[in-house]
Amino acid sequence: MRKLVKETLLAALLLQAGSTLYAQDKQYTAEIKALADKPAVKKAFQSIIDMEPQTLSDHLMLTEIAAPPFKEMKRAEKYAAMMKAAGADSVWIDNVGNVLAKRKGKKGKKVVVLEGHLDTVFPEGTDVTVKHRGDTLAAPGIIDDTRALAMVLTVLKAMEKNSIETEADVLFCGVVGEEGQGDLRGVKNLFSDKGPGKIDTYIAIDGWDTESITHRGLGSHRYNITFKGPGGHSSGAFGLVNPHNALGRAIHYWAIAADSLTRQPGERLTYNVGVIGGGTSVNSIPFESWMEVDMRSESPERVAAADKLLQDAVQRGLLEENQMKRAGADLTVDVKLIGDRPSGGLDSNLAVIQRAKAAIAFIGGSPKLRVGSTNSNIPISKGIPAITMGSGGKGGNAHALQEWWINDNGYLAIQRTLLVLLAEAGIAK
């Protein structure tokens, strides 16, 4: 009898929850449809289609301005000029190189950010010339994240062309330091005391999937670890500490321990030794040996646990190599944190997430919530409503020299983004 009562109660609760979610879905679906039916928004939709050739021209031009990690200024200066020409009320480049274009709202009590990131993963000297192969455009960085920059610019232009005013202030941004060792430095600065002030909603554009909504941040720790010794001739100085030996031990001990940890129940955890280096010749004892490592999880506790295993493995490798030496100075090690991306998650019932889902459905897509490592990690970790969405079209080989993109109804993602932005910022009455 008790079991029957419990099952009946559970069924009633599930039915109630389902009804609530259904009502909520209907609420945001209706809101987005009403917004899209406004004459000014309909005109903006058409403007986005009409501006497709200009959007593509902006996209290709920005792609061919190299923006290697920590060297985004040339692209930033051009993007700032484009934002100013598009009609933003004020445009500036902040202390770390972010481009900020402010469009004042009628009330200005709320601030909404729409951004793409300026940097690419490719080093200085990479050929970023766009190759045209039929309808396929290929170049390093053409989708990650240059398409987003062109898209953000077009949203601003569409609002200006159709005199769409918002209640909230909107910041259209090109942000530095999203990739690799940039460690989200641009968005971290936006939320620091050097930033533009209070930000209420954060909408990032990254990747190309039109249907995905990133609302959970995949946190990570990244390290550069360098073992250092005196170095010497492989025969004449035999018996000195060897940094490669210690590095090899550290990798081995960490991999064994971390592998065991990843198999334990809990949030998904990954670990990786991505780069190693050091040494001068086959017949020399190296004076240094280094590696760069990465560990990721939605759970900060799991990241911390993997980090502890790494530190233990490094010290064990150091100790054992020093114990084996026959002469000379001890080996030393430098452990440098080069990446710290906070994790976190947002309630999927938040308005910005529901609006993004409704907007994707409105343009004919099937919304999918996901976890990722993007600029949104920072506001998400602070509990600020934030999402990352794709820039549309079709693409592939991100972070590879063969990166490519096809403008397959790319305007739909721009229209979707306009809807989400206007829903969050509010159209001024």
Side-chain angles (χ1 to χ4, degrees), residues 38-158:
K38 289 182 178 294
V41 176
K42 285 184 176 180
K43 289 179 181 178
F45 274 10
Q46 186 58 49
S47 293
I48 287 168
I49 295 171
D50 294 341
M51 285 190 288
E52 274 283 84
Q54 184 59 55
T55 301
L56 185 59
S57 177
D58 293 341
H59 182 184
L60 301 186
M61 186 265 292
L62 287 166
T63 299
E64 292 186 339
I65 301 174
F70 298 96
K71 295 183 178 180
E72 304 99 332
M73 186 52 70
K74 186 176 179 182
R75 180 180 283 185
E77 289 173 347
K78 181 61 179 178
Y79 197 54
M82 295 167 80
M83 285 287 197
K84 188 173 182 179
D89 293 316
S90 57
V91 181
W92 69 99
I93 297 176
D94 73 9
N95 58 300
V96 298
N98 294 321
V99 177
L100 293 91
K102 185 175 184 178
R103 195 169 187 271
K104 295 178 182 177
K106 185 176 180 181
K107 293 182 178 178
K109 294 180 180 179
K110 181 179 179 181
V111 177
V112 180
V113 166
L114 176 64
E115 64 97 338
H117 65 81
L118 289 161
D119 58 319
T120 71
V121 300
F122 302 97
E124 194 170 16
T126 301
D127 182 4
V128 291
T129 305
V130 178
K131 312 295 193 302
H132 297 252
R133 299 167 186 150
D135 61 356
T136 301
L137 303 170
I142 196 161
I143 47 175
D144 191 7
D145 196 29
T146 319
R147 176 64 185 179
L149 296 175
M151 179 176 172
V152 169
L153 188 62
T154 295
V155 171
L156 170 58
K157 290 177 180 178

Side-chain angles (χ1 to χ4, degrees), residues 157-233:
K157 290 177 180 178
M159 292 173 67
E160 284 293 312
K161 284 179 182 291
N162 296 282
S163 302
I164 298 175
E165 300 300 326
T166 56
E167 296 285 351
D169 291 344
V170 179
L171 283 174
F172 297 86
C173 302
V175 179
V176 298
E178 194 276 341
E179 301 287 8
Q181 291 192 29
D183 196 32
L184 308 186
R185 65 191 176 90
V187 67
K188 285 178 178 178
N189 195 72
L190 292 180
F191 285 92
S192 74
D193 57 3
K194 296 181 175 63
K198 178 176 68 79
I199 295 172
D200 299 283
T201 305
Y202 197 91
I203 303 168
I205 307 298
D206 202 349
W208 67 91
D209 187 341
T210 306
E211 299 180 325
S212 69
I213 304 165
T214 301
H215 74 304
R216 299 178 348 255
L218 186 65
S220 63
H221 285 179
R222 293 170 178 171
Y223 284 94
N224 176 284
I225 295 170
T226 306
F227 289 94
K228 297 180 180 180
H233 194 280

Side-chain angles (χ1 to χ4, degrees), residues 237-259:
F238 181 73
L240 294 179
V241 287
N242 188 317
H244 283 353
N245 292 348
L247 185 78
R249 288 191 182 92
I251 292 172
H252 172 74
Y253 293 139
W254 187 47
I256 294 297
D259 180 70

Side-chain angles (χ1 to χ4, degrees), residues 298-353:
E298 285 185 65
S299 163
E301 293 78 17
R302 298 269 278 174
V303 172
D307 193 315
K308 176 65 164 53
L309 294 177
L310 173 68
Q311 307 303 328
D312 291 346
V314 167
Q315 292 304 316
R316 184 176 176 184
L318 177 72
L319 176 64
E320 290 183 1
E321 181 61 19
N322 282 333
Q323 288 176 337
M324 286 181 62
K325 75 171 186 178
R326 303 183 187 184
D330 278 354
L331 195 67
T332 62
V333 65
D334 291 334
V335 179
K336 182 181 178 183
L337 182 67
I338 58 173
D340 184 1
R341 298 189 177 207
S343 56
L346 296 175
D347 187 337
S348 61
N349 293 319
L350 277 175
V352 68
I353 298 169

Side-chain angles (χ1 to χ4, degrees), residues 376-397:
S376 291
N377 277 44
I378 300 303
I380 287 172
S381 72
K382 297 176 179 294
I384 295 169
I387 55 172
T388 297
M389 300 186 294
S391 56
K394 292 181 179 177
N397 293 336

